[in-house]
Amino acid sequence: MDRLAGKVAIITGAAGGQGEAEARLFAAEGACVVLTDVQDKGEGVARDIGGNVVFLKHDVSSEADWARVVAVTLERFGRIDILVNNAAMYDPKPMMETSLASFQQHFAVNAAGAMLGMQAVFAPMQAAGNGSIINIASISGTRKIPGQFAYAATKWALRGMTGCAAAEFGRAGIRVNAVMPGMIRTDMIAKHAAEDNARFEQMVPIGRAGESGEIAEIVAFLASDAASYINGAEIVADGGLTL
Ligand SMILES: NC(=O)c1ccc[n+]([C@@H]2O[C@H](COP(=O)([O-])OP(=O)(O)OC[C@H]3O[C@@H](n4cnc5c(N)ncnc54)[C@H](O)[C@@H]3O)[C@@H](O)[C@H]2O)c1
């Protein structure tokens, strides 16, 4: 398969979970991949995938880190066609237990991190007249779910940011879309009690949590030229949970 042949992608938060699945699929589809994360284990993931895949340690809330990631990507691969803003933090608490520091940290990583990423790749994508940005939001940004106040607020924000960016970047040839996963089996949901996860799974019409690879397929489609007329879209992938 070569849906992404010749393309260069930056995928954040790719040391595990969905980001890692995206990095593996993108590489299999012919892309050169820069996978980034705050966790060093991304190095081993990049080595395991092999080929034109490199790991860069990267805190998405740092503007200086973004400048370095873009510079190294351009130096190594000469272009940037795809950005997947996948990294996120998740410390689920109701509002009355949410500290200002936690609220600000969620916004720094999940919302500002995505903005900094879009700003950082704009110039090279504009120069190429072509680009695809995929922001990983959540069904937590489509419903009023109690108990994850700061996280949910960032995902509502990311949806708005995606729409505004799609409107602003469209004439530069840059498409910006959002994917909104439901319950996906990664380290993120391992933070919940096993019985809570089992209960949630029963609420999903297709009767199970999703797998990272199922989200990666959607992201790869949006990144590819097959999605050339999709801009500002929000794709929900939740097994029907929010029907
Ligand atoms: N798992 C789910 O049920 C679910 C549901 C809806 C949306 N999502 C979203 O999917 C995306 C991927 O999450 P996942 O499920 O693979 O979870 P995950 O915890 O496996 O992956 C998140 C990654 O982001 C990295 N990260 C955290 N802070 C960072 C920072 N400041 N800079 C760079 N990297 C950082 C983590 O180290 C981790 O590798 C996230 O945006 C998440 O909000 C997940």
Side-chain angles (χ1 to χ4, degrees):
M1 297 278 279
D2 58 0
R3 280 183 293 171
L4 302 176
K7 293 189 187 289
V8 176
I10 298 172
I11 306 175
T12 68
Q18 296 173 52
E20 176 181 345
E22 286 149 15
R24 289 185 184 281
L25 180 59
F26 276 38
E29 294 287 352
C32 302
V33 179
V34 174
L35 69 88
T36 84
D37 207 290
V38 281
Q39 295 192 67
D40 290 324
K41 67 176 183 168
E43 183 77 59
V45 172
R47 208 176 313 116
D48 187 55
I49 300 172
N52 286 317
V53 178
V54 296
F55 168 71
L56 295 177
K57 190 154 182 178
H58 173 210
D59 177 351
V60 295
S61 67
S62 160
E63 199 166 13
D65 270 15
W66 271 110
R68 183 176 49 82
V69 166
V70 165
V72 171
T73 305
L74 290 173
E75 194 182 297
R76 174 77 193 255
F77 296 120
R79 52 188 295 134
I80 301 171
D81 302 285
I82 302 158
L83 167 65
V84 184
N85 278 316
N86 168 77
M89 67 167 287
Y90 178 62
D91 184 17
K93 290 199 168 59
M95 180 170 60
M96 294 309 293
E97 292 171 28
T98 299
S99 66
L100 177 60
S102 172
F103 186 80
Q104 290 175 331
Q105 182 66 11
H106 275 89
F107 268 87
V109 175
N110 302 3
M115 180 190 75
L116 292 173
M118 292 191 282
Q119 290 175 331
V121 299
F122 179 77
M125 286 185 175
Q126 183 189 38
N130 190 41
S132 175
I133 297 172
I134 300 103
N135 293 325
I136 309 301
S138 170
I139 57 165
S140 297
T142 69
R143 291 289 185 276
K144 289 83 178 175
I145 303 170
Q148 41 179 257
F149 184 80
Y151 175 82
T154 65
K155 295 301 188 179
W156 280 97
L158 190 52
R159 287 179 67 191
M161 289 164 56
T162 300
C164 293
E168 292 185 4
F169 286 11
R171 298 223 179 254
I174 303 167
R175 299 178 291 105
V176 188
N177 293 292
V179 175
M180 296 175 326
M183 180 186 189
I184 309 301
R185 218 182 302 278
T186 68
D187 286 353
M188 198 166 269
I189 64 163
K191 291 179 178 170
H192 300 151
E195 55 271 27
D196 287 345
N197 283 336
R199 193 163 42 82
F200 274 124
E201 285 196 49
Q202 287 314 307
M203 290 162 60
V204 179
I206 62 173
R208 62 172 177 84
E211 301 296 339
S212 292
E214 294 177 289
I215 302 302
E217 288 290 346
I218 300 162
V219 177
F221 166 67
L222 289 172
S224 76
D225 294 338
S228 55
Y229 204 58
I230 302 181
N231 186 34
E234 299 175 322
I235 299 185
V236 173
D238 67 353
L241 183 61
T242 56
L243 273 174

